[in-house]
């Protein structure tokens, strides 16, 4: 199914009128997947948005990642790795979270205007999509392990069940996701806290023994620079999680004097704040795995359901297994609806630019889940550390470049102070962010594979972060910021004055009214055009960008009151 375009042969002008396929036109399911989220749709309170976003970090891959790091590199190096990665993720996440919440844009649209350009961000859409299906596969594997242990369901069938179970929820969009996160939160909180309460009474000396744990591979309990670097690389694979947080944060209501404090707290908590809980879960997961190690062995200790079960046995006895399985299943549903949802957004963004077609976000759910199911059937869980270590080199180069643009380039005037995401005003590729990411990730991947020696291999993710942070402003300075805007935006530019960003204009192509930030002036259509119709136009030849003089301000005039 694709969007359809019909031509009115009786009309005086040959401009096509676009009517979207039923699913693509239903914003209750689409959730403005490829465009600006209008204020009229942001009907949730800051606390509701934050609660929904934080509900998505219920995943237990943190348990497996933390256990893998500590088992491989020992407690001291593992602790340093987890905390260092958390600091990096938190700091880079702050400007991105605020940008998405303020502008009503998802991670892909922010990336376009934060140094990557219209087509330059297609590569990051693939990076983000790969994050969602890699982690869907990890979380799905953990859920399948729980069902296998609880009822003996074969893992291969369990993988299929974990994939199919999320589809009805994700199909319905943000409204359904918010309800699921709220309804399951009490069960998740009890399941998360109870094992540690049990161990506090039943094994009070376990934390002391854990602090001197030297791992299972002979790393030793002391600090190792090599172990610290490699462990940080694995933990940093989670840096792209800010993209999933942003998919919720774009629905944050406008910040006002009345809600300012709650808004700031909600954005901080639901944006970069996820990593505080994430780091605690990594350490907690490593601790549970350590306690269960002697009883279940290394392989099963790395699977979250087994340590959970061992911790609950002293108090729950025969009920421990169903209780542990229930907790794992609830946790994995909470995160995998988010993985599937965010993946559908990312694939939609990618294919809309490549094919100029938009059949609807929901169809890309099936593509994302098919890839994830394939990875599960290939038993990618067994290669957890290496896979995440490699991925983090690319992910951190992307996130660091975007953060550098938001924090440095926009503050010193190397890039526009606002985020321009519409095709009509962007160059295809901006070398500032895109070039920084490509160079940084290429060098760090070479380092990861040992080209530059042992220490460079261990610290490849630090190389990626450092290069991206430095190169983005340097390239922007070297190019004098000329590749940020192909032409000025008459209503969004730094000197623009408009009455109200909620003012609407009717798109000349699909004849639907959209708020002003989602509209561009189009010389080909001789009127306003919405950002999605602009993206899908395959026949305009980008006249507005190639000949900026041809594109005058054709939007309806609005009274001039400067926006803050």
């Amino acid at each position: 199914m694709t969007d359809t375009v019909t031509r009115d042969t009786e009309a005086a002008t040959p401009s096509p009128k676009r009517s979207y396929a039923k699913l693509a036109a239903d914003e209750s399911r689409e959730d403005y997947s490829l465009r600006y989220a209008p204020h009229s749709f942001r009907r949730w309170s800051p606390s509701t948005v934050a609660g929904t976003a934080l509900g998505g970090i219920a995943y237990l891959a943190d348990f497996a990642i933390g256990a893998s790091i500590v088992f491989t590199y020992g407690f001291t190096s593992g602790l340093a790795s987890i905390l260092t990665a958390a600091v990096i993720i938190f700091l880079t996440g702050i400007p991105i979270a605020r940008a998405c919440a303020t502008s009503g844009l998802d991670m892909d649209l922010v990336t376009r205007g934060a140094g990557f350009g219209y087509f330059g961000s297609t590569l990051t859409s693939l990076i983000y999509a790969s994050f969602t299906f890699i982690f869907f596969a990890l979380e799905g594997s953990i859920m399948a392990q729980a069902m296998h242990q609880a009822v003996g369901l074969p893992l291969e069938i369990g993988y299929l069940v974990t994939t199919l179970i999320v589809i009805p929820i994700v199909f319905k969009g943000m409204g359904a996701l918010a309800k699921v996160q709220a309804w399951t939160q009490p069960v998740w909180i009890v399941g998360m806290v109870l094992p540690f309460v049990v161990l506090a009474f039943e094994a009070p000396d376990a934390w002391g023994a854990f602090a001197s744990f030297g791992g299972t591979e002979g790393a030793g309990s002391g600090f190792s620079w090599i172990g610290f670097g490699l462990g940080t690389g694995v933990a940093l694979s989670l840096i792209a999680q800010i993209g999933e947080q942003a998919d919720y944060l774009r629905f944050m209501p406008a910040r006002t004097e009345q809600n300012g404090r709650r808004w700031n707290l909600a954005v901080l908590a639901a944006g970069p704040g996820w990593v505080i809980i994430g780091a605690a879960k990594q350490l907690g997961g490593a601790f549970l795995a350590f306690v269960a190690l002697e009883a279940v062995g290394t392989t099963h200790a790395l699977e979250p359901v087994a340590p959970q079960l061992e911790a609950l046995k002293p108090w729950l006895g025969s009920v421990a297994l169903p209780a542990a399985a229930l907790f794992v299943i609830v946790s994995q549903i909470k995160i995998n609806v988010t993985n599937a949802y965010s993946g559908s957004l990312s694939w939609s963004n990618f294919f809309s630019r490549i094919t100029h077609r938009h059949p609807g976000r929901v169809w890309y759910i099936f593509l994302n889940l098919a890839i994830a199911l394939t990875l599960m059937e290939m038993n990618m869980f067994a290669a957890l550390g290496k896979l995440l270590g490699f991925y983090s080199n690319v992910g951190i180069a992307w996130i660091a470049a975007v953060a550098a643009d938001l924090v440095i380039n926009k503050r010193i005037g190397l890039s526009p102070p606002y985020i321009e995401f519409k095709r009509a005003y962007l160059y295809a590729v901006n070398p500032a962010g895109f070039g920084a990411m490509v160079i940084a990730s290429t060098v760090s991947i070479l380092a990861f594979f040992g080209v530059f020696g042992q220490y460079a291999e261990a610290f490849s993710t630090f190389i990626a972060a450092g290069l991206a942070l430095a190169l983005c402003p340097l390239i922007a300075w070297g190019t004098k910021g000329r590749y940020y805007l192909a032409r000025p935006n008459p209503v969004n530019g730094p000197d623009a004055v408009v009455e109200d960003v909620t003012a609407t204009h009717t798109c000349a192509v699909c004849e639907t009214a959209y708020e002003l930030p989602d509209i561009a002036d189009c010389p080909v259509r001789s009127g306003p055009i919405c950002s999605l119709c602009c993206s899908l136009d395959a026949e305009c030849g980008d006249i507005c960008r190639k000949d900026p003089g041809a594109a005058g301000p054709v939007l309806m005039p609005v009274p001039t009151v400067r926006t803050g």
Side-chain angles (χ1 to χ4, degrees), residues 70 86 191 297 430 481 492 536:
V70 173
N430 185 343
N492 260 0
L536 300 179

Side-chain angles (χ1 to χ4, degrees), residues 65-422:
I65 290 170
S68 176
I69 292 172
V70 173
F71 276 29
T72 304
Y73 307 112
F75 174 81
T76 304
S77 298
L79 175 65
S81 297
I82 292 169
L83 295 181
T84 300
V87 171
I88 294 172
I89 292 172
F90 187 86
L91 294 177
T92 55
I94 292 174
I96 293 173
R98 291 189 65 86
C100 293
T102 301
S103 61
L105 303 176
D106 66 14
M107 190 67 200
D108 176 78
L109 301 186
V110 167
T111 298
R112 292 184 194 180
F116 282 71
Y118 182 72
F119 275 107
S121 64
T122 54
L123 179 58
T124 64
S125 290
L126 288 180
I127 295 171
Y128 185 28
S130 65
F131 174 85
T132 64
F133 62 65
I134 286 173
F135 277 89
F136 188 103
L138 289 175
E139 308 297 351
S141 297
I142 292 170
M143 192 194 303
Q145 292 161 4
M147 292 189 290
H148 174 69
Q149 190 152 347
V151 298
L153 187 69
L155 286 175
E156 292 75 12
I157 298 177
Y159 297 149
L160 180 61
V161 172
T162 63
T163 302
L164 297 177
I165 198 172
V166 304
I167 293 177
I169 302 169
V170 182
F171 200 83
K172 294 183 178 180
M174 174 66 177
L177 267 64
K179 291 177 182 178
V180 167
Q181 301 296 3
W183 293 342
T184 56
Q185 201 71 347
V187 175
W188 181 78
I189 291 174
V190 172
M192 178 62 66
V193 173
L194 186 58
F196 298 98
V197 173
V198 174
L199 291 177
F201 285 94
E202 300 296 329
D205 299 327
W207 275 108
F210 180 53
S212 61
F213 180 51
T216 58
E217 299 182 21
S221 58
F223 180 79
S224 162
W225 283 107
I226 297 293
F228 165 69
L230 291 171
T232 304
V234 174
L236 279 173
S237 64
L238 292 164
I239 196 167
Q241 177 64 34
I242 190 62
E244 294 197 344
Q245 304 307 111
D247 287 338
Y248 293 111
L249 288 173
R250 65 196 175 107
F251 299 122
M252 193 69 70
R255 185 179 182 275
T256 64
E257 291 185 6
Q258 291 73 28
N259 72 1
R261 180 175 296 181
R262 289 182 290 112
W263 192 96
N264 287 331
L265 181 61
V267 171
L268 188 67
W274 77 266
V275 78
I276 298 174
I277 301 173
K281 286 162 57 189
Q282 288 176 44
L283 292 172
F287 173 65
L288 292 180
F290 165 75
V291 173
L293 179 60
E294 185 175 347
V296 302
T298 302
T299 299
H300 290 299
L302 294 174
E303 300 171 355
V305 64
Q308 187 87 5
L309 172 60
E310 292 300 315
L312 295 177
K313 276 182 178 179
W315 282 14
L316 300 186
S318 60
V319 184
L321 178 56
L326 175 64
F327 168 67
V328 171
I329 291 171
V330 168
S331 298
Q332 303 316 87
I333 289 176
K334 285 170 72 67
I335 179 54
N336 266 354
V337 294
T338 299
N339 282 327
Y341 178 74
S342 294
S344 69
L345 297 179
S346 186
W347 284 118
S348 293
N349 275 300
F350 175 76
F351 281 110
S352 69
R353 277 169 287 177
I354 299 300
T355 66
H356 297 285
R357 295 287 185 272
H358 180 52
R361 172 193 67 82
V362 296
W363 293 105
Y364 293 110
I365 297 170
F366 300 102
L367 171 62
N368 210 52
L369 296 187
I371 298 173
L373 179 59
T374 301
L375 291 177
M376 282 189 275
E377 298 292 354
M378 293 170 61
N379 192 27
M380 65 166 291
F381 192 85
L384 178 66
K386 276 293 183 183
L387 176 67
L388 297 183
F390 171 79
Y391 177 84
S392 63
N393 288 279
V394 182
I396 197 171
W398 164 37
I399 298 298
V402 172
D405 182 85
L406 296 173
V407 174
I408 302 173
N409 296 4
K410 292 193 180 303
R411 289 180 181 270
I412 65 178
L414 291 174
S415 70
Y418 68 100
I419 298 171
E420 182 56 74
F421 67 97
K422 296 181 285 294

Side-chain angles (χ1 to χ4, degrees), residues 461-520:
T461 50
F462 289 85
I463 294 172
L467 282 176
L469 286 169
L471 287 174
C472 184
L474 282 175
I475 296 174
W477 173 78
T479 58
K480 303 187 186 314
R482 61 172 294 191
Y483 293 102
Y484 279 90
L485 292 177
R487 64 182 175 107
N489 185 330
V491 296
N492 260 0
D495 298 322
V497 285
V498 298
E499 177 194 40
D500 184 2
V501 293
T502 64
T504 60
H505 292 283
T506 300
C507 174
V509 180
C510 67
E511 299 181 338
T512 303
Y514 294 100
E515 289 183 8
L516 198 58
D518 205 28
I519 288 288

